[in-house]
Amino acid sequence: MSRATANPKPVKFLLVDPPHRIWDILKAWVPSPGCLQLAAFLEDEFNLDFMDCTLNRRPWHDLEAKLRADRPDVVGISIGCTYFTYDGYNAAALVKDVLPDAVVVVGGAHPTLNAEECLAECPEIDFICMGEGELTMREFLRTVADGNPDFSRVKGLCYRGPDGRPVFTGKRELIEDLDTLPMPAYHLVDMEHPYIGLPSEGDRAFLVNFARGCGFRCKFCSESVFWERRWRGRSPELIGEELELLKKKYNRDTFYVGDNIFNFTRERGIGFIEEMKRRRLGQHFWLQSRADLVVRDEDLMPGFKEAGVYQFMIGVEYTKQETLDELNKQVSMETVERAMQILKRHGFMIMATLMIGHWDETKEDRERLFDFCTRYVNHFGLNVVTPLPGTEFYKEMKALGRIKDFDYRKFDYIQAVMPTREIDDLDKITELHLGMIRRFYWRPIELWRMFFSPNPILRHHHKYFMKYGFEVMMHEVFGRPLWTQDNYQTFESFLRERGRPIRGGFRGYEPDETVEL
């Protein structure tokens, strides 16, 4: 008899990605690859449903309605990044208000790396799924189904013990072979929803993930810590199967591949090239890599081009070697520049991820960074230095007293939460960041590329960002309204409309509604 039929009690499990505010510059949303993968792994054994609330017409109201109608036994809540922490807390509060006996489990990088804080801040959270979710959640739900109240044997959990202190049940080993996982559960979302896509890359663009983790040790990266500084990838054959499904069933032809490092091994790069050439799907790919691995795989670049790769994203971060060394990037600027030259020579678009707002940063440092990018970069991925909780960088910055704002809604890589030695005003750093982006895209050469580049994706990309920049300018100068997410609502506003408070005067975990995002 299968384990699924042996369960004495069918567990109703609702997996929730809470309502989120979409970034204005993106004007779009992509369902969480982690949620879709977890749902696919669990749906054959349990009575599972998935709700991506950001796609709902009235997200908080619809979530409440689903809780009342379906009455799930267990609700899993995704907190995909630090920026979404309060959304997850608010969802947990709503679940417990509607279904006091339901079990609330949260997962994701932020709660995993900050489990004690999450349990202390949000009493509505019963359990935290630490790290990779598939095996832990399967065993957890089986334990619930068996009516066994002892979760201490389920590795990979954190919860409050009888004395209120956090109990960690022990480390859950990672899944060694990602090919053992099923295809992500794309059928559980409306793939034709008008919000789903990546409009900067094309009309049918989408996000996919084919690997987990990274083998490097950059101090600022939460992904590296979350995945235990290991890299695991799916085979090229299964990558090809998933891409063929997305092409034939959902007509998706352009992809941002979210793997932290796509070509972590040469064998994977070679296999991907061969698979794409064999299948001839006519798809286009934006891959992430590192400068040293681009240099290592220089001979594979023509193959990547033939396979449909149009852009590489490289974590340049900064152009001052001393700062790169402090961040433990383990790469030299000489290698970065050589990688840029290789990618340019083979006709790839280049996106550089960059950070400003370092403690010892000067105006001259920012100018050197800007000048370097004008020579090589097509997509100026400039961020503000953000100390993500749970990383070595966060611990260092907190110990030094440099983090001045702990409102997680500002941990979005756009708003500064730390000063520099020269600039104490956080708003000024945020303004410098936005000013550098405008300055980059409004250069005459970028205007020329918008109309005359032989690369159609580059033309589309530049038109998209130029249009956004023009909209921002018209807003700032003439007060013309910007694009707004027509279904977004703060939790506090939802509670006012609802007309029923949660535990007295509770207004939600967002500190207030005044933060300008």
Side-chain angles (χ1 to χ4, degrees):
M1 180 180 290
S2 72
R3 186 61 178 78
T5 58
N7 282 339
K9 171 175 174 278
V11 174
K12 294 180 73 173
F13 176 49
L14 176 62
L15 179 60
V16 173
D17 197 351
H20 300 306
R21 186 181 190 275
I22 295 172
W23 285 349
D24 293 346
I25 196 169
L26 295 179
K27 302 180 183 178
W29 180 252
V30 178
S32 162
C35 286
L36 295 180
Q37 187 67 77
L38 178 62
F41 185 79
L42 299 173
E43 66 176 340
D44 287 344
E45 183 170 339
F46 304 99
N47 184 354
L48 176 144
D49 200 359
F50 172 52
M51 186 173 186
D52 189 341
C53 298
T54 304
L55 301 176
N56 282 70
R57 182 65 259 165
R58 304 178 74 214
W60 289 112
H61 290 280
D62 292 346
L63 175 57
E64 179 176 15
K66 188 165 187 64
L67 292 169
R68 294 189 183 281
D70 293 358
R71 305 192 68 80
D73 303 297
V74 179
V75 180
I77 297 173
S78 171
I79 301 180
C81 61
T82 298
Y83 176 64
F84 291 150
T85 298
Y86 303 130
D87 296 339
Y89 286 179
N90 288 330
L94 181 60
V95 172
K96 285 296 190 180
D97 182 69
V98 176
L99 300 171
D101 295 330
V103 178
V104 173
V105 188
V106 301
H110 182 85
T112 294
L113 303 181
N114 304 275
E116 187 171 349
E117 175 188 283
C118 289
L119 290 175
E121 289 182 343
C122 184
E124 293 85 1
I125 295 173
D126 295 312
F127 295 89
I128 293 173
C129 178
M130 306 284 285
E132 192 166 63
E134 285 84 3
L135 299 180
T136 298
M137 285 305 301
R138 182 174 66 184
E139 186 176 351
F140 176 80
L141 292 173
R142 286 175 175 176
T143 304
V144 173
D146 291 339
N148 183 356
D150 181 12
F151 295 95
S152 63
R153 297 177 182 272
V154 181
K155 291 190 181 299
L157 293 177
C158 188
Y159 58 91
R160 299 177 195 84
D163 60 359
R165 296 182 179 180
V167 174
F168 176 51
T169 60
K171 179 179 176 296
R172 169 77 61 177
E173 293 301 316
L174 297 174
I175 298 169
E176 288 297 328
D177 184 3
L178 296 187
D179 281 3
T180 61
L181 296 175
M183 194 84 73
Y186 294 116
H187 58 278
L188 295 181
V189 295
D190 176 9
M191 290 286 283
E192 293 304 311
H193 190 286
Y195 277 169
I196 290 184
L198 297 170
S200 66
E201 306 307 305
D203 294 335
R204 304 298 299 173
F206 194 66
L207 166 67
V208 288
N209 265 4
F210 301 127
R212 294 177 176 178
C214 171
F216 292 88
R217 308 177 75 88
C218 303
K219 286 184 179 181
F220 55 86
C221 180
S222 62
E223 287 280 298
S224 175
V225 183
F226 179 76
W227 295 115
E228 303 176 23
R229 297 187 171 89
R230 286 186 56 195
W231 180 94
R232 295 160 297 147
R234 303 192 87 164
S235 66
E237 293 77 16
L238 288 188
I239 292 174
E241 285 184 21
E242 186 169 338
L243 290 170
E244 189 156 344
L245 170 77
L246 289 166
K247 173 74 172 185
K248 293 182 176 179
K249 187 172 182 178
Y250 300 109
N251 192 29
R252 297 288 172 173
D253 60 10
T254 303
F255 299 92
Y256 167 39
V257 181
D259 303 5
N260 296 126
I261 303 176
F262 185 83
N263 60 326
F264 190 80
T265 67
R266 274 182 61 85
E267 293 73 22
R268 192 184 199 229
I270 293 169
F272 172 77
I273 291 168
E274 293 174 349
E275 193 70 19
M276 292 302 99
K277 288 165 67 174
R278 181 177 70 83
R279 290 181 184 263
R280 298 185 180 277
L281 297 172
Q283 294 169 318
H284 309 284
F285 306 98
W286 158 13
L287 306 181
Q288 297 186 61
S289 187
R290 279 176 55 99
D292 46 3
L293 300 186
V294 168
V295 172
R296 182 199 69 190
D297 293 346
E298 179 177 2
D299 61 309
L300 300 183
M301 293 302 139
F304 278 121
K305 192 78 174 177
E306 189 176 353
V309 178
Y310 70 92
Q311 178 168 253
F312 274 91
M313 182 165 79
I314 306 296
V316 176
E317 318 308 351
Y318 213 55
T319 49
K320 189 175 181 179
Q321 189 64 52
E322 180 182 355
T323 302
L324 294 179
D325 294 341
E326 289 173 356
L327 296 173
N328 200 31
K329 277 293 293 182
Q330 298 177 275
V331 70
S332 70
M333 273 310 299
E334 290 80 5
T335 299
V336 172
E337 188 149 19
R338 185 179 170 195
M340 296 289 163
Q341 292 166 351
I342 290 169
L343 295 174
K344 277 294 183 187
R345 186 162 61 249
H346 289 281
F348 292 105
M349 289 171 57
I350 300 174
M351 177 180 179
T353 55
L354 311 151
M355 299 189 293
I356 64 164
H358 301 279
W359 174 248
D360 289 319
E361 181 175 288
T362 65
K363 180 179 179 180
E364 290 72 27
D365 292 332
R366 290 191 294 274
E367 285 303 306
R368 278 193 291 271
L369 178 70
F370 189 88
D371 290 345
F372 176 85
C373 290
T374 60
R375 296 200 301 273
Y376 298 110
V377 172
N378 303 110
H379 190 161
F380 191 57
L382 186 66
N383 302 300
V384 175
V385 174
T386 302
L388 295 177
T391 63
E392 186 178 347
F393 184 63
Y394 178 89
K395 295 171 185 175
E396 287 182 3
M397 295 301 102
K398 187 176 181 181
L400 291 168
R402 290 180 184 165
I403 305 174
K404 302 303 181 184
D405 195 330
F406 290 88
D407 180 351
Y408 287 152
R409 287 174 300 163
K410 293 185 179 179
F411 281 56
D412 59 0
Y413 305 97
I414 297 172
Q415 301 176 88
V417 297
M418 298 191 301
T420 70
R421 191 188 298 275
E422 288 189 350
I423 305 173
D424 194 54
D425 185 343
L426 300 183
D427 289 339
K428 185 174 181 181
I429 297 172
T430 301
E431 291 166 6
L432 279 171
H433 163 252
L434 296 174
M436 287 179 71
I437 293 174
R438 292 191 191 106
R439 181 181 161 202
F440 183 89
Y441 283 109
W442 283 99
R443 292 177 300 132
I445 185 61
E446 301 304 330
L447 294 171
W448 183 90
R449 287 171 177 154
M450 179 172 65
F451 293 105
F452 302 112
S453 170
N455 184 334
I457 297 178
L458 179 59
R459 293 197 305 270
H460 174 91
H461 171 273
H462 274 37
K463 287 176 183 177
Y464 180 87
F465 284 101
M466 289 292 184
K467 181 181 178 183
Y468 177 75
F470 181 76
E471 290 170 353
V472 171
M473 182 190 72
M474 295 299 289
H475 172 72
E476 293 176 345
V477 176
F478 300 106
R480 180 179 294 181
L482 288 170
W483 177 88
T484 57
Q485 180 184 343
D486 59 6
N487 70 341
Y488 177 71
Q489 183 179 35
T490 66
F491 191 67
E492 184 177 351
S493 172
F494 156 70
L495 291 179
R496 286 198 299 268
E497 285 187 2
R498 181 181 191 241
R500 298 188 306 279
I502 292 178
R503 53 180 166 87
F506 177 71
R507 296 191 306 162
Y509 283 98
E510 299 167 79
D512 55 54
E513 291 190 61
T514 62
V515 174
E516 184 176 341
L517 300 174

